[in-house]
Amino acid sequence: MTPPLANIGVPMIFITLPAMMWLIFPVIVLEFLAGRDLKAPTPRQKWLGITIANLVSTFLGWPIAWGVLVVLQMIAGGGGAHGLDSPLGRLLAVTLQAAWLIPYEEHLYWMIPTAAMVLLVPFFFVSVYIERWVLRFLWKGEEPSTLKRFSWKAHLLSYSFLMAVVLGYGIYSVANAP
């Protein structure tokens, strides 16, 4: 008789959210710098607005987006183990299953950073939308078209930084693999 296993996989929200808590300050600084040319908000209003918007998108938007991705993963057949013995299996394991990785323990050193990079793509779009929505209420004097341009510019900058951090972690992880 085989004993039951408790391998439920790796819910990536428990990795990405704590990492984002460590990285939120440099993200806020980068997004503040991206807003240098905004006219309506004062520097204090910019700091406050960008900080509040990032807190909302990080602690509300990311978990909701992750939950939606988990549901989509299950619907798309990403809840089962496809194996890692082929390039297609590896691709499915870190794209379809990015939100909740199957526990291939000996491969998590490369799967976790790769899945985190995959997750940054939908999280980017969620953050652009949520933060722009929050800032629309906080910076009433800013033109909607200016706010839209700012949101894209700020997030391209901050998510490039996040991607670089995750890529650096991935390189380190692969270089120091068991």
Side-chain angles (χ1 to χ4, degrees):
M1 180 169 186
T2 307
L5 299 174
N7 292 339
I8 62 163
V10 181
M12 287 293 291
I13 192 74
F14 295 119
I15 294 170
T16 57
L17 198 56
M20 195 54 219
M21 288 190 297
W22 283 99
L23 296 169
I24 198 164
F25 183 71
V27 163
I28 290 169
V29 169
L30 287 171
E31 291 183 10
F32 178 82
L33 294 173
R36 289 186 308 246
D37 55 345
L38 292 173
K39 305 278 188 263
T42 65
R44 180 173 162 32
Q45 289 170 326
K46 284 181 201 174
W47 276 115
L48 188 60
I50 291 168
T51 300
I52 290 170
N54 271 280
L55 290 172
V56 170
S57 72
T58 300
F59 295 109
L60 186 63
W62 278 35
I64 290 170
W66 175 80
V68 169
L69 290 171
V70 168
V71 169
L72 291 174
Q73 175 177 331
M74 297 308 155
I75 291 170
H82 296 288
L84 298 176
D85 48 349
S86 72
L88 180 60
R90 288 189 286 279
L91 179 67
L92 289 173
V94 294
T95 54
L96 270 182
Q97 300 172 335
W100 198 306
L101 291 174
I102 300 298
Y104 299 110
E105 284 86 6
E106 65 277 3
H107 295 279
L108 290 178
Y109 71 93
W110 67 267
M111 290 178 72
I112 288 175
T114 305
M117 285 187 271
V118 168
L119 289 172
L120 281 176
V121 175
F123 289 168
F124 167 85
F125 290 104
V126 167
S127 293
V128 166
Y129 177 78
I130 287 176
E131 290 180 33
R132 186 170 66 221
W133 182 79
V134 169
L135 292 175
R136 211 176 322 162
F137 289 102
L138 297 176
W139 298 345
K140 293 187 186 311
E142 200 63 59
E143 289 292 322
S145 61
T146 303
L147 198 53
K148 184 176 182 178
R149 275 192 310 279
F150 161 73
S151 188
W152 283 103
K153 181 175 151 184
H155 287 89
L156 285 170
L157 182 61
S158 62
Y159 273 76
S160 294
F161 164 73
L162 293 174
M163 190 63 80
V165 169
V166 176
L167 183 60
Y169 169 69
I171 292 168
Y172 173 82
S173 186
V174 168
N176 293 291

